[in-house]
Amino acid sequence: NKTFGYIALAYENSRIDYHFQLVHWFMNINQLLKRLSDAKRTSILVSHLEDIYTKDALTGLYNKHGYLHRETLLQSTVTCFLFDLNRLKYINDHYGHNEGDFAIQVIGHALSSVTRSTDICARFSSDEFYLLTMDYTKEDADELLTRVYKYLDNYNKISHKEYKISASGGYAQSTPGASLSKEDVKALFSKADEHMYQQKQIFHQDLDK
């Protein structure tokens, strides 16, 4: 049910004649092209299904499945970041869940704009984002936090929304050259969570002033 191309044949003296092998050759070519086409369609379908399973539909980042699939034994300086959207419940309650989803997307865009191609960035839950990086110095890690906050500040300056979008972030680093298991990485994220929570407390204290 597909057209792959065509061939035009001309015979001497208007004589219609051909060898049976030619028809057989056409059939082989047709089957080959069909298999290539089916394989391409299958590949596209598999890729699409993999995206559904491993990617977060709202932000385009990895989801928890995608993150866990790519987390392996690591050796180098590993930095684990954890980000949390500030005041998501407030945005949902006052402006609706569509606006809450929009705010989550903005955080996702902020992280996508500052991460490296080798970083693993994932949305783990409603408004919680995990970022696993390698070979970051402390200066690199501090700069990444600054760039995320700067992105959001710049967004809020040009946004016409009635609310501001901000996030709290924290990170923890391993010892340079250490070999890390998944449990070690989990412990680093726990430390990053503690640092993130400290930033969130500062954010709420500033709101109360």
Side-chain angles (χ1 to χ4, degrees):
N1 298 322
K2 296 181 178 67
T3 300
F4 298 111
Y6 67 91
I7 186 169
L9 300 177
Y11 299 94
E12 292 181 351
N13 301 321
S14 299
R15 178 172 59 86
I16 300 177
D17 188 20
Y18 57 84
H19 296 290
F20 181 77
Q21 289 86 345
L22 183 61
V23 175
H24 187 66
W25 183 78
F26 284 152
M27 293 175 64
N28 288 339
I29 293 297
N30 180 71
Q31 289 297 319
L32 172 62
L33 292 175
K34 184 178 185 304
R35 288 170 184 167
L36 289 173
S37 176
D38 290 345
K40 181 65 174 178
R41 292 178 61 191
T42 301
S43 176
I44 293 173
L45 177 61
V46 169
S47 178
H48 179 62
L49 292 175
E50 183 179 353
D51 280 347
I52 292 175
Y53 182 70
T54 63
K55 295 289 183 67
D56 173 52
L58 192 60
T59 63
L61 302 174
Y62 290 120
N63 56 25
K64 187 174 182 178
H65 298 294
Y67 170 84
L68 293 176
H69 180 68
R70 284 157 180 79
E71 185 189 71
T72 57
L73 293 177
L74 303 167
Q75 186 170 3
S76 186
T77 302
V78 174
T79 308
C80 296
F81 294 84
L82 201 148
F83 292 89
D84 190 85
L85 173 63
N86 293 325
R87 305 182 78 199
L88 176 60
K89 186 178 185 303
Y90 172 85
I91 296 173
N92 284 335
D93 291 346
H94 289 78
Y95 304 100
H97 286 270
N98 285 339
E99 292 300 316
D101 287 346
F102 178 80
I104 290 172
Q105 287 179 315
V106 172
I107 301 295
H109 292 160
L111 293 175
S112 297
S113 71
V114 303
T115 51
R116 302 172 182 175
S117 60
T118 55
D119 297 340
I120 304 174
C121 189
R123 178 187 173 210
F124 257 51
S125 61
S126 176
D127 60 345
E128 193 173 61
F129 296 83
Y130 279 50
L131 175 59
L132 179 65
T133 69
M134 295 181 63
D135 297 321
Y136 273 54
T137 64
K138 185 180 185 303
E139 290 74 20
D140 293 333
D142 289 334
E143 182 182 359
L144 186 142
L145 287 178
T146 300
R147 291 175 63 193
V148 171
Y149 297 148
K150 184 69 173 178
Y151 181 103
L152 297 176
D153 286 342
N154 289 337
Y155 168 81
N156 288 320
K157 289 177 182 177
I158 63 174
S159 172
H160 298 291
K161 299 289 185 181
E162 298 180 24
Y163 55 88
K164 291 186 177 182
I165 299 176
S166 64
S168 298
Y171 70 86
Q173 285 186 318
S174 69
T175 303
S179 181
L180 301 180
S181 66
K182 290 188 177 183
E183 289 301 317
D184 295 328
V185 173
K186 186 177 180 180
L188 283 176
F189 274 118
S190 294
K191 292 181 180 179
D193 186 41
E194 294 174 3
H195 296 161
M196 182 274 294
Y197 186 70
Q198 293 172 3
Q199 294 301 314
K200 188 170 285 288
Q201 286 183 313
I202 294 173
F203 170 80
H204 286 292
Q205 289 171 1
D206 290 339
L207 282 180
D208 294 336
K209 292 180 180 179

